[in-house]
Amino acid sequence: MTGLGMLNAGVTTQLLLSLFDIHGVVHYGIAGNANPNLNIGDVVIPHYWSHSALWSWQRYGNGPEDGLPLEDNGDYTRDIGFLNFANFSTKSKSDNYLNNIWYQPEEIFPVDGTPEERQHAFWVPVDPTYFKLAKTLESLKLQGCLNAKTCLSTPPKVTTVERGTSASIYLDNAAYRSFIYNKFHISPVEMESAGVALISYQQRVPFIVIRALSDLAGGGEHSNEADTFIDLAANNSVKVAVEFIKLIPSHK
C-alpha cells in the first residue's frame, strides 16, 4: 500500500528497494480510462509510463516560438509539447491569461550513471521480459458483474497498451481526457504508477504496472463511475496481478 499520490508511491518504492532484497516490482491498482477503445472493468498493462504534471507554465503573451526560462541551461524544454488553455474556451477565438503549459521530463540519476550528472526521462519503459509475460494473460476471464442486477455492458478484458500516465491530480474532466489521449495516446490515467516507475528505473530493478479501469476520467455521461465500479475494478486488478506473479521465473 503506497498511499495516495506520486510522492507516497515513490517513497514507498524506494523504502522497499532499500530495506529488502527485491528482484522485481509488480504495482497494481485502479485507474481512470482516457482511451475511447477501452471500457470500464478492462485491465491494462502499459509499455511506458510518464509523469504528466511536471510543467513549465509560460507567461501570458509568449508562445511556442519563445524560449522558456532556464531552457538554455537544459532545465526546461519545448520538445515534448504544450497545452494551450485558449483552445478549450467556450467562446471561439477567445484568448486566455493562463496561456500555455509545457510538459517536462523528470530529472533522473540512475545508479549506473555518473554521480550527480542528471539524465532526463519522460516515457519510462517497463521491463521487456515482464511485458512479454503480460501478453500471455490477454485471454484471462475477468469479473463482469457487481451483483445479479448490475453488470458491465461489455465483458472486461486484459490488454497491453502503449502508454499510461500519472499525476497527483484526480482526473474527472472530459476535455483534458480527450487532449491527453490525442496528444500522447494514453490509456490509463492515475496518481501513483509513474512514481513507482521512476524509482524502479533509476535503481535498475525490473517493474511492471497493472491497472484496472474503474471510470472514464470525466468522459462518461454521468457522474464519475468509480463510485459504482471501484470494487469490481479492484478485484480484476488483483486477479491479474496474482496470475502475472505466477508467471515470473524463480531466481536461483
Side-chain angles (χ1 to χ4, degrees), residues 120-134:
H120 291 90
F122 188 72
W123 296 113
V124 180
V126 304
D127 180 74
T129 300
Y130 282 5
F131 193 67
K132 184 177 180 180
L133 288 176

Side-chain angles (χ1 to χ4, degrees), residues 14 18 27 39 65 72 79 81 87 89 126 130 193 241 247 251:
Q14 185 61 66
S18 298
H27 181 61
N39 300 293
E65 68 284 355
D72 290 342
D79 290 343
N87 290 341
S89 174
V126 304
Y130 282 5
S193 294
L247 300 174
H251 288 270

Side-chain angles (χ1 to χ4, degrees), residues 60-76:
Y60 179 71
N62 286 359
E65 68 284 355
D66 297 300
L68 302 175
L70 304 179
E71 184 177 4
D72 290 342
N73 295 334
D75 292 322
Y76 297 101

Side-chain angles (χ1 to χ4, degrees), residues 24-82:
V25 174
V26 179
H27 181 61
Y28 65 95
I30 63 172
N33 172 33
N35 187 337
N37 300 311
L38 298 174
N39 300 293
I40 291 174
D42 290 348
V43 175
V44 296
I45 304 171
H47 193 184
Y48 295 92
W49 280 92
S50 69
H51 173 205
S52 53
L54 181 59
W55 302 333
S56 176
W57 205 319
Q58 200 169 30
R59 70 165 58 200
Y60 179 71
N62 286 359
E65 68 284 355
D66 297 300
L68 302 175
L70 304 179
E71 184 177 4
D72 290 342
N73 295 334
D75 292 322
Y76 297 101
T77 178
R78 287 170 288 165
D79 290 343
I80 298 171
F82 67 100

